[in-house]
Amino acid sequence: MNHFNIISKYVKNPRYLISLLILSIYLSIVYIFTGLVTNTPQTLFFNLFLVLLAVLSSALIMTILSKALPNNISSGDNSFRSSLIIGFLAFLVTFGFFFAYQRGQFPGGLSPDSYLQYKMAMGDATFTNWHPALHTLIIFKLPLSFGRRLGMIILLQLFYFSIAVGYTVFALHQARLPRVALVIYCLFICLNPYLATFFMYPWKDIALAIFALMAFGQYIRIIATKGAWLKPWYNRAAFAVISVICGYMRHNAILFALPLIVIALLYGTRSKSVRITTAVFVLVAFCLVKLLYAGFHVEKYDNLVVETIGMPITIWGNVMQKCPEKLPEETRNVMYSLASDEAWKTIYVPGSFEELRYSEEFDNKGADRLRYSDVAAYTWQCFTLAPFESFDALAKLTGQVWGLYAEERPMDVGIWGNGYDIEPAPGLVAQNFVTQCKTIFATAPGRIIFGCLGWHLLIMLMVAAVLFARGQISWIHIIPVFAYDFGTCALLAGNYYRFFMLTIPLWIPVIYLMLADSNSCPALE
């Protein structure tokens, strides 16, 4: 009878039904797309079964979490001094681990793109915005002023990240999070084999993860103090500077930074004057970056279209490789003007446009002359005339984000495009330590816990769904991460797991903040 009353209560609650619907749709897509990625037979009956399974899974998850999630996870008032000590210890532990990781992979990694930025910072190439110039200035130019070595670039990058972790732990402790949860968070960061590998490269994705974490630490302070933290002008200026830097670390980083700023101002504080002056600080910081670019004579790049249509071309490629005859002749001619039939069939990789794009067989300039309306029309034709091939490409391209399978990823650190005689010189003891960490934590369970973004996103969504069903508005804190991850999916052109590095250090703080903030948000009646 008790179970019947619970079900009856949920059915009468429209918020529960909305949460159940959203979670069911999400899991249906995950289950069906996983079948496409793993080449499971996709009959209509099988897909209907997966949808039913998604609904039942969602109902079970909602029922269990509704009972299991605490209404109060705070552990009492925490003084500023104790929080500062906890944050400083988190900084020391994080920096200690990552310093050991660098020693074991010294001096770090350098990809071809990073090598070009290295040349810009050394004064041997013209500053361009092909990779965000602010990233080149902060991550490359600044550390090279202390020592003209790749090792200094990576070391300062790890120092930034350790500060971000320390500050976020400080903010979470100030928000009255239990210390045991903070210890778990630090262990998750320090033992993570993916962070230990990818943070050895001076990539813009890594810099975005660092500044996104810094900005989210400030965001926690704003939410936890109901906007009081923003009242001093210097805190408003600091939030504006960090948020704007975060927004400049990748060309699509605005997908994270803008929702964060908007929610912080509209939801985090009720003071109109604080909102207005903070917005002014953000605008000023934005203008200062533009002036900085002018001072360094940063050149813009022109091929904007091809940078934003990676997903459509990936879908076109799958159709052109497997069943070009399904498309109208006019559309096929456009595709063949970009690459020959042989190139589509032999160079294109299902679910990835990158191999073809960087080959001599693809006309990038021709792709850049395409109109967005035409791109949309051709993509629509692919989905309507060759739906299986189109969804197959979409699933393989985006699976790195929503996938719940433990995919193996490269764990090596190497130096490419080396024109400065940079030689690897790892310390033997540290190298053995890194090898052991990667061996232990890069197993299948470790890949799920530490690096499976799909599980991180699903857990966040499940918690948000339960909070929404309860009438709590604190589910809103998932928006910046979800907006970035799934917005970036629309721009993908290949399997670039590192694009989503910000999810790894952020998903646990997001969940903590949703649960902690729900205490101060009365249910919506």
Side-chain angles (χ1 to χ4, degrees), residues 196-218:
T197 299
F198 288 100
F199 272 62
M200 295 304 114
Y201 288 91
W203 282 327
K204 57 188 176 184
D205 320 284
I206 305 308
L208 172 58
I210 293 169
F211 285 98
L213 186 59
M214 286 184 178
F216 200 81
Q218 295 176 325

Side-chain angles (χ1 to χ4, degrees), residues 40-51:
T40 303
Q42 296 295 115
T43 64
L44 177 61
F45 178 79
F46 184 70
N47 284 338
L48 290 175
F49 168 75
L50 291 178
V51 171

Side-chain angles (χ1 to χ4, degrees), residues 180-362:
V180 64
L182 298 177
V183 171
I184 292 172
Y185 177 57
C186 285
L187 288 175
F188 174 80
I189 293 293
C190 293
L191 299 178
N192 196 303
Y194 301 101
L195 297 184
T197 299
F198 288 100
F199 272 62
M200 295 304 114
Y201 288 91
W203 282 327
K204 57 188 176 184
D205 320 284
I206 305 308
L208 172 58
I210 293 169
F211 285 98
L213 186 59
M214 286 184 178
F216 200 81
Q218 295 176 325
Y219 179 83
I220 293 171
R221 296 292 290 133
I222 295 168
I223 301 301
T225 62
K226 297 181 174 61
W229 183 80
L230 277 176
K231 288 184 178 179
W233 70 267
Y234 44 84
N235 282 345
R236 277 174 263 172
F239 178 66
V241 169
I242 295 299
S243 299
V244 168
I245 291 176
C246 173
Y248 269 100
M249 283 299 104
R250 278 189 60 87
H251 294 304
N252 61 321
I254 192 68
L255 294 170
F256 175 86
L258 184 59
L260 190 84
I261 294 169
V262 171
I263 296 171
L265 297 186
L266 298 184
Y267 171 79
T269 178
R270 295 179 178 87
S271 172
K272 185 176 180 181
S273 62
V274 168
R275 292 175 185 171
I276 293 173
T277 53
T278 305
V280 170
F281 274 118
V282 170
L283 182 61
V284 169
F286 176 82
C287 293
L288 287 176
V289 173
K290 289 294 185 183
L291 290 174
L292 185 67
Y293 278 23
F296 278 90
H297 306 290
V298 176
E299 294 182 356
K300 295 182 179 180
Y301 65 96
D302 298 324
N303 54 334
L304 295 173
V305 176
V306 75
E307 286 290 302
T308 57
I309 60 172
M311 178 181 284
I313 298 183
T314 302
I315 293 166
W316 302 353
N318 222 35
V319 177
M320 292 298 294
Q321 185 178 80
K322 298 177 179 178
C323 55
E325 69 280 356
K326 291 185 178 181
L327 295 177
E329 182 178 358
E330 180 183 352
T331 303
R332 290 202 306 270
N333 290 336
V334 173
M335 308 297 184
Y336 289 138
S337 71
L338 301 177
S340 66
D341 179 59
E342 183 181 359
W344 285 115
K345 283 183 166 56
T346 60
I347 301 177
Y348 169 82
V349 175
S352 176
F353 160 56
E354 292 295 280
E355 290 78 7
L356 179 59
R357 177 188 172 186
Y358 289 112
S359 73
E360 295 180 355
E361 300 298 319
F362 189 79

Side-chain angles (χ1 to χ4, degrees), residues 11 21 44 57 74 101 106 172 185 213 220 244 255 281 295-296 311 316 322 349 369 450 455 467 473 482 500 509 511:
V11 170
L21 177 63
L44 177 61
S57 302
S74 62
Y101 289 142
F106 193 84
L172 289 169
Y185 177 57
L213 186 59
I220 293 171
V244 168
L255 294 170
F281 274 118
F296 278 90
M311 178 181 284
W316 302 353
K322 298 177 179 178
V349 175
R369 289 192 293 268
F450 290 106
W455 281 106
L467 293 176
I473 199 174
F482 270 66
F500 307 95
I511 290 174

